[in-house]
């Protein structure tokens, strides 16, 4: 009996290399964002795409709030065409971050997802800003 893992054959090493290498074109993680902030090497705009009430409760330091629904040509008109946006939402359980990424890309901007979102940030033990203590961050999508 074959394990469920081997039921579908693994990709070839060449296919795996291509797949996993490409993921870095679309994703970054909380540790990389934090490290770039600590090094003062922030060459992107970090965007929390949740609603303004959720953002006020808790957000990643240095993030701005542009709720997904507000990502329009008018809403991002002040950004240079070569701006890289790094977007996040409440966590891996929310697809609002993907909706936001689609909107930004459709407007011609480069975009990456900070995988894990706010949940991942807290899981890494990193500090939050906002009105609510870190022990009760009040995560909600409301994207």
């Amino acid at each position: 009996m074959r394990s469920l893992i081997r039921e579908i054959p693994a990709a070839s090493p060449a296919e795996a290399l291509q797949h996993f290498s490409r993921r870095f074109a679309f994703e970054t993680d909380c540790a990389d964002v934090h490290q770039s902030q600590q090094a003062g090497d922030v060459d992107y705009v970090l965007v929390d795409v949740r609603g303004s009430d959720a953002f006020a409760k808790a957000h990643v330091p240095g993030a701005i709030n542009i709720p997904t629904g507000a990502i329009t040509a008018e809403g991002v008109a002040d950004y240079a065409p070569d701006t890289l946006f790094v977007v996040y939402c409440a966590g891996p359980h929310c697809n609002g971050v993907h909706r936001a990424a689609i909107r930004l890309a459709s407007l011609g901007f480069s975009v990456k997802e900070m995988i894990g979102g706010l949940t991942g940030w807290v899981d890494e033990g990193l500090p939050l800003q906002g009105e609510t203590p870190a022990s009760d961050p009040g995560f909600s999508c409301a994207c």
Side-chain angles (χ1 to χ4, degrees):
M1 180 172 186
R2 296 185 82 176
S3 73
L4 291 177
I5 294 169
R6 290 192 176 265
E7 187 175 307
I8 297 172
S12 71
E15 291 170 319
L17 176 61
Q18 181 180 23
H19 169 79
F20 290 111
S21 296
R22 292 276 302 143
R23 287 188 65 167
F24 286 105
F26 302 101
E27 302 173 349
T28 189
D29 67 14
C30 301
D32 289 344
V33 169
H34 184 257
Q35 186 277 329
S36 73
Q37 290 175 334
Q38 296 302 301
D41 188 23
V42 180
D43 55 356
Y44 54 89
V45 177
L46 182 61
V47 181
D48 185 318
V49 302
R50 298 173 304 139
S52 58
D53 289 345
F55 180 81
K57 287 181 182 177
H59 59 271
V60 172
I64 63 168
N65 182 223
I66 309 176
T68 299
I71 299 174
T72 63
E74 298 79 27
V76 294
D78 292 337
Y79 293 96
D82 64 344
T83 299
L84 169 61
F85 288 95
V86 173
V87 294
Y88 72 89
C89 195
H93 57 280
C94 177
N95 67 6
V97 70
H98 302 133
R99 294 177 198 281
I102 288 168
R103 286 178 179 235
L104 286 163
S106 72
L107 293 169
F109 290 101
S110 296
V111 60
K112 288 188 176 192
E113 173 189 4
M114 183 180 81
I115 57 174
L118 206 56
T119 301
W121 191 267
V122 170
D123 286 350
E124 293 285 333
L126 301 171
L128 295 172
Q129 285 184 327
E131 302 167 355
T132 306
S135 62
D136 178 28
F139 302 160
S140 69
C141 295
C143 310

